[in-house]
């Protein structure tokens, strides 16, 4: 398991990752009360978002797999969906709230999501078409949904010992094909509305920043400035991507963007920039490249998404109007595998004290 992403607990069980599958194995004639699984190291803002997983297989009626959105300081606090034999059980802060019959072949994918003050438990046969099974008002839990962790766990209902069975999870948050765009993915998600300072990021520069309901705001205070907001943790983006939503508040010369940087200094970046006449461009920045690759001019567009993806030996740049349908506009050979990169958002007045602003939101990496 990747210790940068997951905290492993194992009491009388074996917790392992095989390719994309997480296995919690209950050895026969093992310890009493066996249980274990993984919890994300990063904290997520799951308001208006979700966590989902495919329960790939479960051996034995006494094995109870679960998906939970919970408190990093108290794993008993939060929302949990657990299979107990032939039923799905929804628990809030460790107290059972509701039960529903478990339907094999239909309740294969599980999802816990929050929307407008309600937390829903959904299931799906294919990870694309979902049905709500259970729901509660989010205020029933003491969990702070803006700083939650996700847990994939399994336990033995009878208290054990195990019987050689296992619970297996896969396709955490869609496995690269999420049904919704703004989900916490395998490695990282940030809706950029959390109070500052944020322990998952470092800030440098002179442009003031603020966390707003719409995202992370950068402002030029009337004097030239530039700023950057960088992840405190390195991520593996091999055959993966990082993307962000951007909005610019003025038709001035300021620019903003997204950068990924490797430990040895190589980097790639993508940014939108206002040019004269109110047109926008998406551009690339690549070491050793004397001039950027530009997309077609995006007339009048003040809002777009940008993505940088490593696809085999290529690094590919995309832009999108909605975060769902992507248009590639540049590519280059990836000299170094993006296995250990930092993510950065940057904003600059481009030397002009013009009072413009920028807004970033929905920063994600996709497996």
């Amino acid at each position: 398991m990747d210790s940068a992403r997951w905290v492993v607990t194992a009491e009388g069980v074996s917790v392992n990752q095989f390719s994309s599958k997480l296995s919690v194995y209950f050895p026969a004639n093992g310890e009493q009360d066996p249980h274990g699984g993984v919890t994300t190291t990063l904290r997520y803002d799951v308001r208006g978002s979700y966590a989902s997983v495919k329960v790939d297989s479960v051996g034995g009626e006494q094995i109870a797999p679960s998906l939970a959105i919970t408190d990093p300081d108290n794993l008993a606090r939060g929302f949990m969906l657990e299979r107990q034999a032939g039923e799905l059980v929804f628990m809030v802060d460790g107290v059972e709230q509701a039960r529903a019959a478990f339907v094999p072949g239909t309740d294969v994918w599980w999802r816990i999501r929050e929307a407008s003050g309600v937390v829903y438990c959904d299931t799906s046969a294919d990870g694309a078409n979902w049905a709500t099974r259970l729901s509660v008002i989010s205020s029933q839990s003491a969990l702070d949904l803006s700083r939650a962790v996700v847990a994939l766990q399994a336990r033995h209902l009878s208290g054990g010992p195990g019987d050689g069975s296992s619970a297996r999870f896969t396709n955490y948050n869609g496995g690269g094909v999420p049904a919704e765009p703004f989900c916490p993915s395998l490695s990282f998600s940030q809706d950029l509305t959390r109070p500052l300072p944020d322990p998952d990021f470092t800030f440098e520069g002179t442009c003031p920043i603020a966390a707003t309901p719409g995202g992370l705001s950068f402002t030029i205070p009337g004097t030239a400035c530039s700023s950057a907001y960088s992840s405190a943790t390195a991520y593996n983006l091999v055959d993966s991507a990082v993307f962000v939503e951007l909005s610019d508040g003025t038709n001035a010369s300021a620019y903003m963007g997204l950068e990924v940087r490797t430990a040895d200094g190589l980097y790639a970046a993508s940014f939108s920039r206002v040019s004269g006449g109110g047109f926008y461009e998406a551009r690339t920045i690549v070491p050793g490249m004397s001039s950027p690759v530009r997309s077609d001019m995006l007339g009048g567009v003040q809002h777009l998404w940008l993505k940088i993806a490593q696809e085999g030996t290529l690094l590919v740049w995309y832009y999108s109007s909605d975060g769902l349908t992507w248009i590639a506009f540049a590519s280059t050979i990836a000299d170094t595998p993006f296995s250990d990169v930092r993510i950065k958002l940057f904003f600059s007045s481009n030397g002009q004290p013009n009072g413009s602003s920028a807004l970033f939101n929905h920063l994600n990496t996709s497996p």
Side-chain angles (χ1 to χ4, degrees), residues 180-235:
E180 299 177 27
F182 314 140
C183 61
S185 64
L186 181 62
S187 53
F188 180 73
S189 173
Q190 170 60 282
D191 277 349
L192 299 175
T193 60
R194 303 190 316 199
L196 301 176
D198 189 323
D200 294 334
F201 286 85
T202 58
F203 171 75
E204 56 184 336
T206 53
C207 297
I209 65 169
T212 74
L216 185 70
S217 172
F218 289 73
T219 304
I220 299 175
T223 57
C225 68
S226 62
S227 290
Y229 197 61
S230 305
S231 65
T233 303
Y235 297 94

Side-chain angles (χ1 to χ4, degrees), residues 215-265:
L216 185 70
S217 172
F218 289 73
T219 304
I220 299 175
T223 57
C225 68
S226 62
S227 290
Y229 197 61
S230 305
S231 65
T233 303
Y235 297 94
N236 184 346
L237 296 184
V238 174
D239 293 326
S240 182
V242 59
F243 56 95
V244 69
E245 181 184 20
L246 310 96
S247 301
D248 195 281
T250 182
N251 288 334
S253 59
Y255 63 87
M256 54 185 163
L258 169 68
E259 176 180 300
V260 291
R261 181 184 293 269
T262 64
D264 59 5

Side-chain angles (χ1 to χ4, degrees), residues 36-339:
V38 297
T39 305
T40 59
T41 57
L42 291 180
R43 302 178 183 187
Y44 300 116
D45 186 344
V46 294
R47 295 170 299 179
S49 189
Y50 68 90
S52 68
V53 72
K54 181 181 180 184
V55 184
D56 187 66
S57 65
V58 178
E61 287 294 306
Q62 294 300 309
I63 304 302
S66 63
L67 166 68
I69 294 176
T70 185
D71 190 321
D73 300 316
N74 182 356
L75 297 183
R77 180 183 297 150
F79 303 90
M80 183 177 74
L81 181 62
E82 184 178 62
R83 173 184 160 182
Q84 296 182 7
E87 294 182 300
L88 291 173
V89 180
F90 190 22
M91 305 186 74
V92 178
D93 290 357
V95 178
E96 181 181 324
Q97 300 295 313
R99 287 177 177 254
F102 174 79
V103 182
T106 297
D107 299 329
V108 178
W109 295 69
W110 300 0
R111 181 173 69 181
I112 301 176
R113 62 184 172 94
E114 192 279 338
S116 303
V118 179
V119 175
Y120 300 88
C121 286
D122 306 327
T123 63
S124 171
D126 56 10
N129 301 290
W130 295 86
T132 297
R133 304 298 304 279
L134 306 161
S135 65
V136 297
I137 302 300
S138 61
S139 60
Q140 287 186 231
S141 173
L143 173 66
D144 180 357
L145 287 168
S146 71
R147 297 187 65 80
V149 294
V150 179
L152 307 175
Q153 304 280 328
R155 66 187 180 99
H156 201 285
L157 290 176
S158 70
D163 55 8
S165 300
S166 64
R168 294 183 181 178
F169 304 88
T170 189
N171 296 90
Y172 172 53
N173 272 57
V177 193
E180 299 177 27
F182 314 140
C183 61
S185 64
L186 181 62
S187 53
F188 180 73
S189 173
Q190 170 60 282
D191 277 349
L192 299 175
T193 60
R194 303 190 316 199
L196 301 176
D198 189 323
D200 294 334
F201 286 85
T202 58
F203 171 75
E204 56 184 336
T206 53
C207 297
I209 65 169
T212 74
L216 185 70
S217 172
F218 289 73
T219 304
I220 299 175
T223 57
C225 68
S226 62
S227 290
Y229 197 61
S230 305
S231 65
T233 303
Y235 297 94
N236 184 346
L237 296 184
V238 174
D239 293 326
S240 182
V242 59
F243 56 95
V244 69
E245 181 184 20
L246 310 96
S247 301
D248 195 281
T250 182
N251 288 334
S253 59
Y255 63 87
M256 54 185 163
L258 169 68
E259 176 180 300
V260 291
R261 181 184 293 269
T262 64
D264 59 5
L266 293 175
Y267 67 92
S270 176
F271 62 93
S272 68
R273 176 176 177 171
V274 185
S275 63
F279 288 86
Y280 280 67
E281 299 172 328
R283 291 189 176 192
T284 67
I285 300 174
V286 178
M289 184 178 291
S290 59
S291 61
V293 176
R294 303 184 181 190
S295 72
D296 294 335
M297 298 290 280
L298 307 172
V301 175
Q302 289 186 292
H303 170 268
L304 79 163
W305 295 70
L306 293 170
K307 178 167 71 171
I308 304 170
Q310 183 171 357
E311 301 174 0
T313 60
L314 288 179
L315 202 61
V316 185
W317 284 259
Y318 297 85
Y319 67 84
S320 170
S321 62
D322 58 8
L324 293 172
T325 302
W326 296 92
I327 299 171
F329 69 91
S331 64
T332 188
I333 298 296
D335 293 329
T336 302
F338 273 39
S339 58

